[in-house]
Amino acid sequence: RERRMQWWHQARFGMFIHWGLYSTLGRHEWAMEEEGIPVAEYEKQAWAFKPQPNAARAWAQLAKRAGMKYMVMTTKHHEGFCNFDTQTTNYNAAKTGPGRDLVREYLAAARAEGLRAGLYFSLMDWHHPDGARCMTDEAARRRFVDYVHAQVRELCTNYGQLDVLWYDVNWPLTAEGWESAAMNKMVRQLQPDIILNNRSGIPEDFDTPEQEIRASRNRNWEVCMTMNDSWGYQSADNNWKTPQTVLRNLITCVRDGGNYLLNIGPTADGSIPPDSVRILTEVGQWIDRNGATVLSSDACQPRSSEFLTFTRRGKTLYAHVYYWPGVSLSIGGLQTKVLSAKFAATGTPVRCDQDEFRLRLTGLPAAPPDHPLTTFALECADVPTQNNDKTRIERPRRGVGI
Ligand code: GLC
């Protein structure tokens, strides 16, 4: 596992792509269920889905510009429509509106940019006749599990090397019902280096906290998150995160030893919502200047601060300042001697002095020199640690007599 997952740990930052028939509606990928749309009515969207050729190229180029190292695209979401060509159903991209295999196009695009590529696959299926009755009807379960395993087999056979298989929602069965152990064994036989997530009901290689940064203990983890509130394209959703929020989230994941998988929801023609392009472009420009401080770091103990976040690489501590304090900046509780300080983006040295309780950086510009975060690199005499309790308890309580 360690060998298989080495690239994934170094990668840190990935792009999630939710794309399917729901993109033609533009009302979130749960529209079919949440609006109670009949199957026969929803199916018509398969003919309305007419993406421009090779739309995925622009996604891959944006991912690369944003500093992302891998991508994961929906091959089949809960709606049951397959973005790939398959023998198992005609409800697929090759035989309907798109007229071609969109998974193949996506994989070619990712590989052309040198990115690792994974496939998302929903176990839950709102379209298949046995997708719900498999819960109580054994013959239906048999048919449906065979159907799902056959699709997973096709995905693992027809596209060369895959890097990640990202299962989703395993309603209404358990891992036993899905025969997940056998399914994942088959996957590993076909794709020996693949990395599997935990949503087939078996823990496998990594945990998948969703929309919140929650580190797992002694387990690999990847936070998946939307850039607004929706995974699939939702035309009315303008609740965009700022580039600073995205970077703070990435930095927090990295600090705590996890990955960050950030979503785009392309429109039906495959174009990326302009706000997503804007946000990821700004994130990428910051990563161009400061990327080494985030993308190749070790888990980091110092963390206590309400105006900056830390990452660490070896004995270098990076302080990512999001609320700029002005001409001087102080950090309490560092237990390690700081030998020198500089701006990470430019290498410009910064004056620093330190006593037992406080590190001070002085002579700083009044306004933050970088945007959306300014990062300092602090060379330490040892692997840095922080202890704010010590400051609270031991700082001499000797004032001027007030
Ligand atoms: C949820 C949602 C889904 C989304 C996924 C991403 O399980 O059902 O729409 O694809 O999370 O993690």
Side-chain angles (χ1 to χ4, degrees):
R1 175 171 292 158
E2 222 164 281
R3 182 192 55 78
R4 275 189 299 113
M5 295 192 72
Q6 209 177 352
W7 73 263
W8 189 86
H9 284 302
Q10 284 164 359
R12 297 302 199 171
F13 193 22
M15 176 183 273
F16 212 175
I17 304 106
H18 276 68
W19 202 40
L21 300 187
Y22 43 84
S23 314
T24 65
L25 299 174
R27 300 194 302 272
H28 194 278
E29 77 283 359
W30 275 71
M32 182 180 175
E33 176 166 305
E34 294 190 340
E35 299 177 13
I37 305 173
V39 168
E41 184 183 321
Y42 192 90
E43 274 179 344
K44 293 189 191 132
Q45 297 309 313
W47 298 99
F49 191 25
K50 289 212 172 287
Q52 64 202 348
N54 292 305
R57 282 189 192 156
W59 315 342
Q61 286 159 3
L62 180 63
K64 190 163 185 186
R65 266 194 284 139
M68 293 160 154
K69 300 292 191 289
Y70 65 111
M71 305 172 78
V72 177
M73 184 186 79
T74 50
T75 60
K76 179 179 91 167
H77 203 265
H78 313 333
E79 65 182 7
F81 179 78
C82 296
N83 281 333
F84 56 103
D85 195 5
T86 168
Q87 304 293 312
T88 61
T89 174
N90 288 333
Y91 199 43
N92 77 61
K95 297 190 182 73
T96 56
R100 60 196 198 274
D101 186 326
L102 299 176
V103 170
R104 193 170 297 285
E105 268 189 12
Y106 150 74
L107 288 168
R111 288 172 186 143
E113 296 301 322
L115 301 172
R116 298 277 186 159
L119 303 182
Y120 163 110
F121 182 87
S122 171
L123 294 166
M124 174 162 79
D125 188 322
W126 297 327
H127 177 265
H128 192 282
D130 297 320
R133 68 177 170 219
C134 62
M135 190 166 29
T136 48
D137 174 338
E138 172 53 23
R141 189 197 67 84
R142 184 71 268 149
R143 284 191 302 268
F144 184 48
V145 168
D146 287 346
Y147 173 81
V148 162
H149 284 214
Q151 292 187 339
V152 170
R153 175 182 288 281
E154 287 179 330
L155 290 172
C156 291
T157 307
N158 296 343
Y159 301 93
Q161 197 194 315
L162 304 176
D163 296 304
V164 176
L165 181 59
W166 212 104
Y167 291 115
D168 197 14
V169 183
N170 66 358
W171 186 92
L173 302 173
T174 60
E176 293 74 59
W178 289 109
E179 301 175 26
S180 297
M183 178 168 69
N184 294 349
K185 190 169 169 211
M186 165 186 81
V187 168
R188 292 197 192 282
Q189 265 158 9
L190 296 167
Q191 297 280 342
D193 289 328
I194 205 162
I195 298 173
L196 297 179
N197 77 348
N198 63 341
R199 294 194 184 180
S200 66
I202 300 181
E204 297 289 356
D205 295 319
F206 69 97
D207 292 344
T208 52
E210 183 171 318
Q211 301 287 40
E212 58 163 341
I213 301 177
R214 188 167 23 85
S216 303
R217 276 187 184 276
N218 305 319
R219 289 265 306 152
N220 302 305
W221 54 280
E222 174 199 70
V223 170
C224 53
M225 210 181 266
T226 48
M227 239 184 295
N228 51 4
D229 290 332
S230 318
W231 300 95
Y233 177 56
Q234 162 60 287
S235 59
D237 181 352
N238 284 315
N239 196 19
W240 298 102
K241 295 179 176 60
T242 63
Q244 190 191 78
T245 298
V246 167
L247 279 170
R248 284 171 63 177
N249 288 339
L250 171 63
I251 289 168
T252 305
C253 289
V254 164
R255 179 195 69 186
D256 293 347
N259 282 14
Y260 190 46
L261 187 66
L262 184 63
N263 184 71
I264 62 165
T267 62
D269 74 359
S271 48
I272 311 165
D275 284 296
S276 303
V277 176
R278 169 182 60 77
I279 295 161
L280 289 179
T281 302
E282 211 175 304
V283 165
Q285 286 163 350
W286 184 90
I287 287 182
D288 275 347
R289 297 188 294 273
N290 298 279
T293 66
V294 175
L295 296 177
S296 48
S297 30
D298 307 313
C300 178
Q301 186 267 333
R303 57 192 54 233
S304 184
S305 168
E306 303 297 337
F307 68 103
L308 60 83
T309 314
F310 297 105
T311 53
R312 169 183 80 86
R313 186 175 191 190
K315 295 179 183 174
T316 307
L317 184 63
Y318 298 109
H320 307 275
V321 182
Y322 42 88
Y323 301 137
W324 187 254
V327 295
S328 76
L329 178 154
S330 300
I331 300 172
L334 286 183
Q335 300 300 291
T336 323
K337 172 95 189 116
V338 174
L339 305 172
S340 67
K342 61 183 185 195
F343 288 108
T346 57
T348 309
V350 173
R351 242 180 294 133
C352 67
D353 59 83
Q354 188 178 22
D355 65 22
E356 213 185 326
F357 302 104
R358 175 165 68 171
L359 172 78
R360 295 181 74 223
L361 306 181
T362 53
L364 305 175
D370 203 349
H371 182 78
L373 301 164
T374 298
T375 299
F376 294 97
L378 309 175
E379 288 312 323
C380 301
D382 210 335
V383 172
T385 59
Q386 189 189 34
N387 181 350
N388 283 70
D389 285 352
K390 182 175 144 76
T391 306
R392 189 182 303 168
I393 295 164
E394 294 179 16
R395 181 174 44 196
R397 303 210 172 214
R398 192 177 57 235
V400 292
I402 299 170

